Amino acid sequence: MKRLLPIYAAVFIFTAAFGFTPASCAVYFQLEPFVSKDVKKPVERVRIMANKLLEVSKIPGLSIAVSQKGKIVYAEGFGYSDVAKKIPVNPETQFRTASCAKVITITALGKLLQEGKLDLNAVIDKYLPNLPPSYRTITPLQLAGHLSGLPHYADDDKIENRFYNSTEEALKVFSHQKLLSPPGTKYSYSTHGFTVLSALMEKVSGMAFLDYLNKDLLKPLNMKNTGPDLRKHQSYTNLARLYDFKDHQLIEERNPEDVSYKWAGGGLISTPSDLVKLTFAYTNGFLKKETVQQMFKPQHLLSGEIVQIGIGWRISKDIYGRNVIEHAGGMEGARTVVCMFPDQETAISLMVNASWASSIEETAHLFAQLFMDDQEVNKVKDIETEVNTSSTLDGKTVNGTAQLKFKGNIGNLMLADGKHYTIVPLNRTNVYGLISTQGIYYLEMKSVNQQVTAKAIAYGSQLKDSAIDKAPFLQFTFAGSL
């Protein structure tokens, strides 16, 4: 395991290598959104949805990028990267990746895999003989699929808010922990497993993890705004501030965590445009077709049970049953997602500069929907009426009434308990976005015989089938038509 150099030397080299010196950061600063001439039609709807999402959820900033057929067609920021100074988010604003760092790591791992430098099924003792005995029979494949039995964060982790000079130091954060289950017997999400994976990658590449990442992945893919989060050791021109919610009020994180103990699993910064560029590695030949197939193949437990995760990537379906390969992340001051729709040759990434409890995968899917279906947006006449509602929370169903108002093709639904939703028509018949404090959900509204029925569905990730028939969390009806 390579030592990463003393802290000051390391910071100097990293900032130079990754292009993060204060002067060079300004080169990437860009205020204007990017909109390809081929996708102007859905962009107005995207902007309405994004601005309404900020209004309802109170998140400080949001950045979105979309690609189609291997080219970025849309990139825009909304809200603020720095609330106090009113600095707007723009396409070059850098956010914490949170666990989207894992798919950056995995893509670099794929390069080692296709170069024959790594055996996914060999026990890691072959590469890292000094790990605790119980860890030694874990395989790289199990680490990448969260089947290793390694714990996630624990109360007795030895995490210190300081710079970690090496993966060897980072391993000491958790290497005293026992496995939660024997390797291969249970799915158990683990960021610490990716620290082990990065140590393994150092061993087989002969380079420090960040050096390998930069040389063999970020530079070839032109991911100029991606690298280690060194905010505690240097200043940045275009790095978003970090925020959290406390008692429903937005507060800034004044002493953020030093994330050098988990570069590979959650310690990077990036932009949605760079995360979309990452997906190009799976279509432009950077990774061979057979490598991509291997990385997107669902893993299975020793029992034979299939889990909806390949090599790092989560394998799922959207509400329409479309295949989606994705990963989301959340941590102090960040909520992120990157999704690929391989059959539609479309990818999307969303990044937020707040700890936001949200259904970000569904939110991303509905933004992407606007680019994948070339239909006219639903039109709703002006309506003001009382509706009958049925909502489900924690397994309990509550019936009641709500006030629904549509004006100018934007709807507002106010429930009796004070909950508020905004409704935005999408470009598929009877489909709408239900904008809430926790993101945007699929809403279906139909008019039949002067009666409107509506249902909203939340569905998460790692699905084998579409959630279209899943029990809705909210339903409402009213007399009339749309």
Coordinates of all heavy atoms in Angstrom, one line a residue, residues 9-38:
A9 N 3.0 18.2 1.2 CA 3.5 17.8 -0.2 C 2.4 17.2 -1.0 O 2.2 17.4 -2.1 CB 4.7 16.9 0.0
A10 N 1.6 16.3 -0.3 CA 0.5 15.6 -0.9 C -0.5 16.6 -1.5 O -1.0 16.5 -2.6 CB -0.2 14.7 0.0
V11 N -0.9 17.6 -0.7 CA -1.9 18.6 -1.1 C -1.4 19.3 -2.3 O -2.1 19.5 -3.3 CB -2.3 19.5 0.0 CG1 -3.1 20.7 -0.5 CG2 -3.0 18.8 1.1
F12 N -0.1 19.7 -2.3 CA 0.5 20.5 -3.5 C 0.4 19.6 -4.7 O 0.0 20.1 -5.8 CB 1.9 20.9 -3.2 CG 2.6 21.5 -4.3 CD1 2.3 22.9 -4.6 CD2 3.4 20.8 -5.2 CE1 2.9 23.5 -5.7 CE2 4.0 21.4 -6.2 CZ 3.8 22.8 -6.5
I13 N 0.8 18.4 -4.6 CA 0.9 17.5 -5.8 C -0.5 17.2 -6.3 O -0.8 17.3 -7.5 CB 1.6 16.2 -5.5 CG1 3.1 16.6 -5.3 CG2 1.5 15.2 -6.6 CD1 4.0 15.4 -4.9
F14 N -1.5 16.9 -5.4 CA -2.8 16.6 -5.8 C -3.5 17.8 -6.5 O -4.1 17.6 -7.5 CB -3.7 16.2 -4.6 CG -3.3 14.9 -4.0 CD1 -3.7 14.6 -2.7 CD2 -2.6 13.9 -4.7 CE1 -3.3 13.4 -2.1 CE2 -2.2 12.7 -4.1 CZ -2.6 12.5 -2.8
T15 N -3.3 19.0 -5.9 CA -4.0 20.1 -6.6 C -3.4 20.4 -7.9 O -4.1 20.8 -8.9 CB -3.8 21.4 -5.7 OG1 -2.4 21.6 -5.4 CG2 -4.6 21.2 -4.4
A16 N -2.1 20.2 -8.1 CA -1.5 20.4 -9.4 C -1.9 19.4 -10.4 O -2.3 19.6 -11.5 CB 0.0 20.5 -9.3
A17 N -1.9 18.1 -9.9 CA -2.2 17.0 -10.8 C -3.7 17.0 -11.3 O -4.0 16.7 -12.4 CB -1.9 15.7 -10.1
F18 N -4.6 17.4 -10.3 CA -6.0 17.4 -10.6 C -6.5 18.7 -11.2 O -7.7 18.8 -11.4 CB -6.8 16.9 -9.4 CG -6.7 15.5 -9.1 CD1 -5.7 15.0 -8.3 CD2 -7.6 14.6 -9.7 CE1 -5.6 13.6 -8.1 CE2 -7.5 13.2 -9.4 CZ -6.5 12.8 -8.6
G19 N -5.7 19.7 -11.3 CA -6.2 21.0 -11.8 C -7.0 21.8 -10.8 O -7.8 22.5 -11.2
F20 N -6.6 21.7 -9.5 CA -7.5 22.4 -8.5 C -6.7 23.6 -7.8 O -7.1 24.0 -6.8 CB -7.9 21.4 -7.4 CG -8.9 20.4 -7.9 CD1 -9.0 19.2 -7.3 CD2 -9.7 20.7 -9.0 CE1 -9.9 18.3 -7.7 CE2 -10.6 19.8 -9.4 CZ -10.7 18.5 -8.8
T21 N -5.7 24.1 -8.4 CA -5.1 25.3 -7.9 C -6.1 26.4 -8.0 O -6.9 26.4 -9.0 CB -3.8 25.7 -8.6 OG1 -4.0 25.8 -10.0 CG2 -2.7 24.6 -8.4
P22 N -6.1 27.4 -7.1 CA -7.0 28.5 -7.3 C -7.1 29.2 -8.6 O -8.1 29.5 -9.2 CB -6.6 29.5 -6.2 CG -6.0 28.6 -5.1 CD -5.3 27.5 -5.9
A23 N -5.9 29.3 -9.3 CA -5.9 30.0 -10.6 C -6.5 29.1 -11.6 O -7.3 29.6 -12.5 CB -4.4 30.3 -11.0
S24 N -6.2 27.8 -11.6 CA -6.8 26.9 -12.7 C -8.2 26.7 -12.5 O -8.9 26.4 -13.5 CB -6.0 25.6 -12.7 OG -6.3 24.9 -11.5
C25 N -8.7 26.7 -11.2 CA -10.2 26.6 -11.1 C -11.0 27.6 -11.9 O -12.0 27.3 -12.4 CB -10.5 26.7 -9.6 SG -10.2 25.2 -8.6
A26 N -10.5 28.8 -11.9 CA -11.2 29.8 -12.7 C -11.3 29.5 -14.1 O -12.3 30.0 -14.8 CB -10.5 31.2 -12.5
V27 N -10.5 28.7 -14.7 CA -10.5 28.3 -16.1 C -11.8 27.6 -16.4 O -12.5 27.7 -17.4 CB -9.3 27.4 -16.5 CG1 -9.5 26.9 -17.9 CG2 -8.0 28.2 -16.4
Y28 N -12.3 26.8 -15.4 CA -13.5 26.0 -15.6 C -14.8 26.7 -15.2 O -15.8 26.2 -15.3 CB -13.3 24.6 -14.8 CG -12.1 23.9 -15.1 CD1 -11.2 23.5 -14.1 CD2 -11.7 23.7 -16.4 CE1 -10.1 22.8 -14.4 CE2 -10.5 23.0 -16.7 CZ -9.7 22.6 -15.7 OH -8.5 21.9 -16.0
F29 N -14.6 27.9 -14.6 CA -15.8 28.6 -14.2 C -16.7 29.0 -15.3 O -16.2 29.7 -16.3 CB -15.4 29.8 -13.3 CG -16.5 30.4 -12.5 CD1 -16.8 29.9 -11.3 CD2 -17.2 31.5 -13.0 CE1 -17.8 30.5 -10.6 CE2 -18.2 32.1 -12.3 CZ -18.5 31.6 -11.0
Q30 N -18.0 28.7 -15.2 CA -18.9 29.0 -16.4 C -20.3 29.2 -15.8 O -20.8 28.3 -15.1 CB -18.9 27.8 -17.3 CG -19.8 27.9 -18.5 CD -19.9 26.6 -19.3 OE1 -18.9 26.0 -19.5 NE2 -21.1 26.3 -19.8
L31 N -20.8 30.4 -16.1 CA -22.1 30.7 -15.5 C -23.3 30.2 -16.4 O -24.3 29.8 -15.9 CB -22.3 32.2 -15.3 CG -21.5 32.8 -14.2 CD1 -21.6 34.3 -14.2 CD2 -22.1 32.3 -12.8
E32 N -23.1 30.2 -17.7 CA -24.2 29.9 -18.6 C -24.5 28.4 -18.7 O -23.6 27.6 -18.7 CB -23.8 30.4 -20.0 CG -23.7 31.9 -20.1 CD -24.9 32.6 -19.7 OE1 -26.0 32.2 -20.1 OE2 -24.8 33.6 -19.0
P33 N -25.8 28.1 -18.7 CA -26.2 26.7 -18.9 C -25.8 26.2 -20.3 O -25.6 27.1 -21.2 CB -27.7 26.7 -18.7 CG -28.1 28.1 -19.0 CD -27.0 28.9 -18.6
F34 N -25.7 24.9 -20.6 CA -25.5 24.4 -21.9 C -26.7 23.7 -22.3 O -27.2 22.8 -21.7 CB -24.3 23.4 -21.9 CG -24.1 22.7 -23.2 CD1 -23.7 23.4 -24.3 CD2 -24.5 21.4 -23.4 CE1 -23.5 22.8 -25.6 CE2 -24.4 20.8 -24.6 CZ -23.9 21.5 -25.7
V35 N -27.2 24.0 -23.5 CA -28.4 23.4 -24.1 C -28.2 23.1 -25.5 O -28.0 24.0 -26.3 CB -29.7 24.3 -23.9 CG1 -30.9 23.6 -24.5 CG2 -29.9 24.7 -22.5
S36 N -28.1 21.9 -25.9 CA -28.0 21.5 -27.3 C -29.2 21.9 -28.1 O -30.3 21.8 -27.6 CB -27.7 20.0 -27.4 OG -27.9 19.5 -28.7
K37 N -29.0 22.2 -29.3 CA -30.1 22.7 -30.2 C -31.1 21.5 -30.4 O -32.3 21.8 -30.7 CB -29.6 23.1 -31.5 CG -28.9 22.1 -32.3 CD -28.4 22.6 -33.7 CE -27.7 21.5 -34.5 NZ -27.2 22.0 -35.8
D38 N -30.7 20.3 -30.2 CA -31.6 19.1 -30.4 C -32.5 18.9 -29.2 O -33.5 18.1 -29.3 CB -30.7 17.9 -30.6 CG -29.8 18.0 -31.8 OD1 -30.2 18.6 -32.8 OD2 -28.7 17.5 -31.7

